[in-house]
Amino acid sequence: MNAVRELRRQLDNSFPGRYELDVGAERTAIILIIDPSFSGKTRQQRVMQIEPLLDEAGLRPGITELYTPAEADERGIALSTDQIIAPATWDTAVSMVESGQRPVDVQRPQRKPRRVIFYSYKGGVGRTTALVHTAFHLARAGKRVAVIDLDVEAPGLHTVLPRSDRAPIVAGLVDYLWERQIRPFDEVTDECLETCLVGTPAGQAKAISYAVEDPVARAQVQVIPAGAVGDDYVRRLHTLSFEDVLTRSDDAWALFEQELAEQLDPDFMLIDARTGLGDWGGLSLLRLADEAFLVLYPSDQNGEGIRFVRGTLTQLREIPTHLVLSPIPEGPLGRKLVDQFLPQLGLEEDDEQPVEIHYNPGIASAGVYPVETAMASYARLANLILESETEDRVEATIQRTDRWKIIESLSFPQREAKAIAANDFELFFQKTSDFDKFLDDARWVVRGRKGTGKSTLFHLFVEHQENAVKRARGRLEGIDVLPGHGPAVGAEFRPTTDVFNTIRRKLIEGEDDWLSLWRAYAIIRVFCSVKRALVESLLKGPDMKALHQHLFACFTVEPGGYWRSTHTTGLLELLGEPFKGLCRDLMIDLNTELGRAGRKLWLLYDDLDQDIKEESSWQGEALSGLLRLAYDSNNQGLHNVRFKVFLREDIWSALVFTNKSHFGDPRTLELKWNRDDFLRLAYRLATGASAEFRALAQRQFPLTDTEVDSAGEEDLRRALAPLWGLNQEKGKKAFAARWVYSRMTDSQDNTYPRSLTVLLNTAREEELRRRNDKQVPSDRLFSRPSMQAGLKSASEARVNELKNEFPKLRPFLDYVKKDKALRSQFSRGELETAWKKTSPSEDATLDSFIAQLDTAGLLVKKARGATYDFGIASLYIDGLGITRVQGENK
Amino acid sequence: MGSISVRDDCVYCTGVPGGASLGNVLSSDPRLHPSFLILTRCSNRGILNRIIRVRGKSVEDYAAACASRLADVKALLAAPIQLTTAAAHLGGVAVECQVKALVVSYHGLSDWGCRSRRTNGPKEPIPRPGHGLIAGVKLMNDLYRKAKADPFFLMHLNRLMHPKGATDVDFIALRYSAEEQSETEIREWQHSLDYVCGWLRKNEDRSS
């Protein structure tokens, strides 16, 4: 159908407001254009101008009327001026979809009450049960809820939620609508009407609503039944015009909603809709719905119907539509059933996954609703409704605020970790779930890809300990942290690349080892640090005299002093006797002393990948020495001095040393940003940078600083809705937050905070650049095109970082980008061709190259039997300028 | 002279002088739609100083006009030398009349520009569809839905609208054409005319 929409776009450009297009069966076009440009052209010329457009849209010409205004006037032919409202029937809906028409939604200042439709194609799938439990979830969340039975041909809501006095109902919505449609009455006094919405003690009219209270939480839900089934009900139902609903501001349904708002003022109206493809179900979904839940059991007959309903609905109306699978058997049987069924629904990559409701025997035997043991299963449905409501509220708020002022106030500066000031940490540092693991005393290696925040963590602990302590919640009590090596402020005093090269040569000459070197260097770092007192008293012992003198002589350094050659010599001298043994002894003494004081010392090492020559034959040897020191110290029971080494993932992977097998998961920490961490950071960046945005976000979804660290994905999605929207596009199901996360994640599941900053910066600039565009979104600050521009920039930045991280891949990456050698998905053969062109060394194999791409997080391996063997991780697609294969979502 | 007031489709006439024909009075008033002139035959009974309400048929008898035009078509095509262009033009007019007759009946109209009397009819006045065949069909929602569901109908209707082919002039402009149609063309056209007329008769709404 997109093709017909595209046709409409073209016609809108060429003949604005001067055409009518409809499509009949077998894609037959019925088109009327009245335009002065036809003047002087023969019919044949006119047809030749229009029919190719129809053909392009996959339509065949049925009736093509092409007139000048004078010709049309002569024939008495005019364009229709009717406004297209949402259809009430499925066949009208299908026609509208086929002809690319979108109805004009009846504008309501606020979608309150929000009409939420629960629909099932077949009965008996738990639709009403889902509605009832969702209603009570919302009521328990403090919302005002009315549940309405529009399953008029088989009403039953009043039996699930009967009146509290168990009295039979006397009238319902059908009676209410019927008499307002059929009978003359006084609209002010309601004289001549038998029914009313809410009863009064003295009133004579029959009230159609009643309240039901949940015995556990005492939350109330207003019930509006369809009516008492009987002779009158049937007569009234069949004379009631379902089409005459929401067509005028004074029709029966409008009067019902007006009275509902005046008397009950619900936030939500949950409507139990008729099954199948009949009139009332169609009306509920097609015209009334602000949001819809399509409830189905995973079976062929349900699948076919729901696929049609969902397809029509989503093409016609921009409303949130959710799938609910119910009731699913527990365990592997249910899993298998769902897995086998899901392909039938034809869901796309970014579509929201169906909510699964498991079979609950408590419901089957329930006499009273809601069933407490089943409530948890329906929480997700209530959350989805609340999310959509948030989206609407955000839209209303953004419309009331100065959108551009807020966007201008946002800023996302790129910060080098070492340049982050203490108060910036307060604003921008996002504690991830890895933070607590880092506090684990026995984690010796902190590894992660470039840009995953290793250096930020290093700086937090060595330079802004007060911030680290605050976030550690007592777990840093009694722990001193010092830089063992790394780019801390004032740590110019350290050996760098060429010095390490000298050290390495001397080690070989003196047949010394790296482990001893690192131990000696650690002692120097403590000696030169603000914590010198830790070793000073120990060095005063008689047996330590020589070491003390040596350290004092060689390493008395003024603050801000540089590492000089004398320091290198002094360090290397510590590898000779007696210093080597004394260093070992001092380490033991330090450990004992710390133990006695109930304290610990952590030495943190960062930037070793830069300061020890990368890709040198001895880099591994040097780093292995440090790791062996950590391991040996632990083995000797020196548990009070801990070494924590920050290493880039690829360097760690390439390291080979004895006992590496002991550096398993409990000893190492791989820094990864999961979705929640990533969203928390986005929220913190946006709120930290702009007081205006903070105020906007807090108005919608208040989150305190501490709550941000523990907020779940659903809360974060809602909190971020003002920034980039709740959904990728208004009315679409895919969550914007998930979209951003998935586009910012490589094939190794790595996400990069640095990329997020690039993305947000570019999105902001792009949005400001589009300031004069007509199509500015009303429900978010950053529109989808701006976000796409941001994703592209972030991707380009990542490609550059990847080239630095994996220099061997550079020729391949350049070739792919320059020659457009690969699309986003490709076969092994295509990859092989690209690999061969980028001149691999003779001994390399395609498999080793694939492994390298895999390690780099660049390559996605497709399942066996898929059309393609491989794909490029979405994070890198835009940055490499790669074309997506047809059908792949952007 | 008496005075005349017009409200909706009713004429109110007072003080028509004795001996004067009501028809004369009506026809001399520029506010009146020509369709009221037919009513002048209902005549003045010479009742003075009394409001006369005249109400009744106000639109043309499209069904009769349709039958008449179809008879014309038949005659033209039965002539020793077939007058195919005239037949195609009048055939289009015949269908136009048939559609208009259906619209009048469907909405219970007493005149163009009046509101529909159907329970669920549109709230806007029903305009005269002119020579637009599909425009006429579109005025009847139920019939238009049926039409869209039948590609044959659309194809045949299109042929009646453009008897000389989809890229040639419509049946109205055909009045200025001197060329006759080929035997095949006119045979196909006749088939379309039969189909469309038969289809419209079969799907006529009888509920109103």
Side-chain angles (χ1 to χ4, degrees), chain A residues 24-69:
Chain A
E26 296 177 12
R27 304 186 62 72
T28 313
I30 302 166
I31 188 166
L32 165 65
I33 304 176
I34 301 176
D35 194 80
S37 68
F38 291 140
S39 184
K41 290 182 182 167
T42 63
R43 161 90 184 162
Q44 188 169 15
Q45 287 168 329
R46 298 175 196 186
V47 170
M48 295 296 280
Q49 183 185 342
I50 301 303
E51 285 196 352
L53 300 178
L54 300 179
D55 189 47
E56 212 171 297
L59 300 179
R60 58 190 195 94
I63 291 178
T64 309
E65 294 180 285
L66 310 169
Y67 296 118
T68 64

Side-chain angles (χ1 to χ4, degrees), chain B residues 18 37 94:
Chain B
L37 295 179

Side-chain angles (χ1 to χ4, degrees), chain B residues 102 105-106 118 142 146 198-208:
Chain B
L102 292 178
S105 149
Y106 183 86
R118 287 180 78 81
D142 297 318
K146 289 179 190 172
W199 192 96
L200 289 172
R201 267 195 303 278
K202 190 163 188 172
N203 292 291
E204 184 181 353
D205 185 285
R206 295 180 185 88
S207 63
S208 61

Side-chain angles (χ1 to χ4, degrees), chain B residues 109-131:
Chain B
L109 297 181
S110 54
D111 195 6
W112 300 112
C114 293
R115 289 182 195 279
S116 170
R117 294 208 172 122
R118 287 180 78 81
T119 319
N120 301 317
K123 307 299 171 227
E124 303 307 316
I126 306 298
R128 179 191 283 266
H131 297 302

Side-chain angles (χ1 to χ4, degrees), chain A residues 431-438 669 672 674 677 680:
Chain A
K431 180 177 146 179
T432 71
S433 49
D434 289 332
F435 185 88
D436 288 332
K437 292 181 194 158
F438 179 78
L669 166 62
K672 280 212 170 191
N674 66 29
D677 294 330
R680 284 176 194 137

Side-chain angles (χ1 to χ4, degrees), chain A residues 291-506:
Chain A
E291 181 160 9
F293 286 89
L294 310 179
V295 188
L296 69 155
Y297 182 76
S299 67
D300 291 351
Q301 47 179 336
N302 275 291
E304 189 182 50
I306 288 291
R307 191 170 173 165
F308 166 78
V309 166
R310 181 172 171 272
T312 308
L313 194 58
T314 49
Q315 289 185 75
L316 202 63
R317 310 242 354 247
E318 286 185 353
I319 57 163
T321 307
H322 318 282
L323 291 163
V324 181
L325 299 180
S326 163
I328 308 298
E330 290 276 8
L333 185 68
R335 190 70 264 140
K336 191 177 166 197
L337 184 70
V338 171
D339 289 345
Q340 282 177 347
F341 173 73
L342 279 182
Q344 275 196 41
L345 293 175
L347 298 179
E348 290 178 5
E349 190 191 341
D350 289 335
D351 279 343
E352 179 187 303
Q353 288 303 301
V355 180
E356 292 176 26
I357 306 289
H358 287 104
Y359 174 75
N360 185 324
I363 286 186
S365 58
V368 179
Y369 285 78
V371 178
E372 205 49 41
T373 55
M375 282 296 281
S377 310
Y378 299 95
R380 173 98 187 101
L381 308 191
N383 279 333
L384 286 169
I385 295 174
L386 291 171
E387 275 176 358
S388 311
E389 190 210 20
T390 304
E391 199 173 26
D392 276 4
R393 272 195 293 129
V394 168
E395 187 168 359
T397 312
I398 288 180
Q399 281 170 350
R400 283 199 304 270
T401 53
D402 185 344
R403 184 171 184 277
W404 300 111
K405 195 175 159 200
I406 301 177
I407 296 174
E408 277 170 0
S409 74
L410 290 165
S411 70
F412 310 98
Q414 283 282 15
R415 285 176 167 78
E416 278 300 313
K418 59 185 163 195
I420 300 178
N423 56 349
D424 281 358
F425 259 105
E426 192 58 46
L427 287 174
F428 300 111
F429 179 78
Q430 180 50 53
K431 180 177 146 179
T432 71
S433 49
D434 289 332
F435 185 88
D436 288 332
K437 292 181 194 158
F438 179 78
L439 297 175
D440 180 354
D441 200 40
R443 302 259 183 186
W444 304 331
V445 177
V446 180
R447 56 200 181 93
R449 296 284 299 279
K450 211 173 167 68
T452 46
K454 294 187 298 299
S455 292
T456 309
L457 203 55
F458 174 83
H459 277 274
L460 176 71
F461 277 83
V462 300
E463 294 197 287
H464 305 291
Q465 267 188 51
E466 68 289 354
N467 274 310
V469 166
K470 199 158 82 182
R471 289 172 170 83
R473 293 181 190 161
R475 289 186 63 189
L476 276 178
E477 195 76 23
I479 296 176
D480 293 312
V481 184
L482 287 176
H485 181 90
V489 173
E492 293 83 1
F493 182 71
R494 61 184 169 128
T496 47
T497 321
D498 55 335
V499 179
F500 271 110
N501 208 8
T502 309
I503 290 171
R504 175 227 163 206
R505 270 193 287 107
K506 296 286 182 190

